[in-house]
Amino acid sequence: MKQYQRRSLIAVVSGIVVFAVCASTLLYFAAQKLGRQLARDSNYIVKHIDAAVNERSKILSHLNSLSADSCNSDNLIEMRRALFDAQYVIDIGFFKNDELVCTTGAGKLAKTIPDNPPDYIRADSNDNKPVRVRYEPQLYLLLFSDRAMEVIIVRQGNYNLIIDSRAFNDKVIVSTQWEVLYKNSDNIFHLGGVEGTYKQVKTNAFLAYESVIKCSNHNPGYCTAVQLPWSQFFANNQFLLIISLILISLAGVSSGLLIDYSLAARRSTVTRVRKGLKKGSFYWTYQPIICLHTGNVVGCEALARFEDKYGVLLPDQFIPIIRKTNLTWRFTQAMIEKVLCELTTVEALPRHFKVSINIFPCDVETGNIALLKDIPALTDSRFIICLEITEDEYLDSTVAHTHFKNLVEAGFNLSIDDFGTGYSNLKNLQNLSFHQLKIDRTFVQDITTQGLKASMIPNIMALVRKFNYTCVAEGIETNEQEAILKQAGVHYGQGWKYAKPMALREFKAYLKLQMV
């Protein structure tokens, strides 16, 4: 349960991480898109600033070059001609002695109007005459006296231009807040848009990526500050945002499920067994085989065990998988290599000490078992290698006969393991070259209760004597069981009464005590 909870937690955390990474990526690309939009808007506004300044310079330079000293018809015609071609200018006025004398819209005025002081004065690079600029949030033109207009008034020499700031306010501009301004070393002068935007942007009153300041490269001092709130940006792209969030959520859930599946697969018994053969998760324990009549240790059986970082697997769990995944021969090879390597180092083991190794019947059928006689570590061992053939698979005696005969000739002993629980029959006992028969622990455990299986032991021993086998009884746990088996003629015993399966170090210590 803890492993499942841990796996689920990892999957959930992985899904959250993927969601966070995807959301961060989405936010990054959204920021890039927002930045591009602000750049487009600011470039658009600066482009119009430059165009307006160039138009102003062209018109005023031309009119001042006429050197007109009165508002006569020729002067008005030139003024109206210049206005006709203008994009930003909506009216042109003529001054004499700082008094407005005439305009293109109203013509010659009945009463002159004194000029107001400018907000700032800047030099014109193309003309010696200074440029005087004033921002008027509400100006009533003489021709449209009932409508206030937000304008910029630019005067140079004897002429001024009325520039409508709404010329910048095009539908192309997506940003919700922008300001056009002129700045020098001391002051900032508002010329259009939302006043105060520049100061807010400069003081970082907005979030990252949602504002920008851009100044003209051609007309120093003229700048624009543009701001587009994240909320408005997301509102403008809400459909794309919803689709992206759905996809991100699906990515997070899918990755979590994928991680969960991957962890489950990694921790599945099949995967653990496969990897265990490669990474050495299998190890072998040794259970002594005792002579029932002398009490001496005459051999041991090598029993496989499994443990990896996910925990322990019991033989009942990993043996069926080894069969189903066709790993039996690889498993047998790993077992032989490890068992012989470990037991060879035990000096206390005498020559002809019997080492029992379990063999899968399927490896007999495929002929893999014939390769055992070609392994020098087995044939040259000082031990008697006893191959125990388990009964839980059908064994074709015709196929097995030749292999068993060759193995016996090579010095191996053969044993029927767990006799009476599987596919053994009299034909196999008679035709195959077995040396030993092992009585399954279920028969031994049934002895004291005088059950059906216990009643079969005398018949089993009759077969043992008939075929001149030796007999080993597994699962002996009590003195009573030992006494009954000894009386029945069983030669050897194996079970917890003598010792549990032990790792090599414990097995060495056990042998040392037995020799004292």
Side-chain angles (χ1 to χ4, degrees), residues 8 25 32 38 65-66 70 160 342 378 463 495:
S8 299
T25 304
Q32 298 302 307
L38 288 171
S65 68
L66 298 176
S70 65
N160 77 350
E342 289 186 344
L378 283 175
L463 292 173

Side-chain angles (χ1 to χ4, degrees), residues 461-507:
M461 292 310 300
L463 292 173
V464 168
R465 287 188 290 271
K466 177 179 179 179
F467 294 110
N468 197 27
Y469 291 167
T470 58
C471 182
V472 180
E474 292 184 302
I476 300 175
E477 297 180 359
T478 66
N479 292 331
E480 185 179 5
Q481 290 172 344
E482 181 188 52
I484 295 172
L485 291 168
K486 187 188 298 184
Q487 185 178 4
V490 176
H491 306 96
Y492 305 107
Q494 181 181 344
W496 284 17
K497 178 184 184 305
Y498 312 108
K500 295 181 180 181
M502 297 171 282
L504 182 66
R505 184 176 179 180
E506 296 170 328
F507 186 52

Side-chain angles (χ1 to χ4, degrees), residues 251-282:
V253 172
S254 299
S255 61
L257 293 175
L258 186 62
I259 292 294
D260 183 70
Y261 174 80
S262 177
L263 290 174
R266 285 179 60 191
R267 295 184 181 183
S268 70
T269 308
V270 174
T271 303
R272 290 172 63 186
V273 169
R274 285 183 180 275
K275 290 185 176 180
L277 277 173
K278 296 179 181 179
K279 297 184 177 181
S281 299
F282 283 96

Side-chain angles (χ1 to χ4, degrees), residues 31 121 137 145 149 165 180 224 245 263 320 413 433 455 461 480 513:
I121 300 174
S145 58
M149 303 182 70
S165 65
V180 175
T224 182
L245 287 176
L263 290 174
N413 279 8
S433 306
S455 66
M461 292 310 300
E480 185 179 5
L513 289 175

Side-chain angles (χ1 to χ4, degrees), residues 14-78:
S14 300
I16 292 174
V17 168
V18 170
F19 178 85
V21 170
C22 292
S24 300
T25 304
L26 173 64
L27 189 62
Y28 170 78
F29 284 110
Q32 298 302 307
K33 184 175 181 180
L34 177 59
R36 289 193 295 271
Q37 183 61 61
L38 288 171
R40 280 194 293 269
D41 288 348
S42 60
N43 289 333
Y44 178 84
I45 294 173
V46 169
K47 176 183 175 182
H48 280 283
I49 291 173
D50 289 338
V53 171
N54 291 338
E55 183 176 277
R56 182 270 305 164
S57 177
K58 180 180 178 181
I59 292 174
L60 291 179
S61 294
H62 168 68
L63 292 176
N64 282 311
S65 68
L66 298 176
S67 301
D69 57 359
S70 65
C71 190
N72 53 35
S73 59
D74 292 336
N75 192 8
L76 274 173
I77 289 173
E78 288 296 328

Side-chain angles (χ1 to χ4, degrees), residues 375-392:
I375 301 176
L378 283 175
T379 56
D380 298 340
S381 174
R382 72 176 192 268
F383 310 124
I384 296 174
I385 306 300
C386 182
L387 306 178
E388 297 190 0
I389 314 299
T390 56
E391 273 211 301
D392 50 1

Side-chain angles (χ1 to χ4, degrees), residues 213-269:
I213 293 175
K214 183 175 178 61
C215 296
S216 171
N217 294 324
H218 304 290
N219 298 283
Y222 286 104
C223 299
T224 182
V226 182
Q227 191 261 339
L228 177 59
W230 279 103
S231 57
Q232 184 61 45
F233 173 76
F234 286 134
N236 294 342
N237 299 274
Q238 58 181 341
F239 178 75
L240 180 61
L241 176 64
I242 291 172
I243 296 298
S244 299
L245 287 176
I246 291 173
L247 293 176
I248 288 173
S249 299
L250 290 175
V253 172
S254 299
S255 61
L257 293 175
L258 186 62
I259 292 294
D260 183 70
Y261 174 80
S262 177
L263 290 174
R266 285 179 60 191
R267 295 184 181 183
S268 70
T269 308

Side-chain angles (χ1 to χ4, degrees), residues 329-347:
W329 186 242
R330 284 181 56 191
F331 175 82
T332 300
Q333 288 177 308
M335 174 180 60
I336 291 171
E337 180 181 355
K338 188 68 173 179
V339 167
L340 290 180
C341 179
E342 289 186 344
L343 292 182
T344 302
T345 64
V346 183
E347 297 178 358

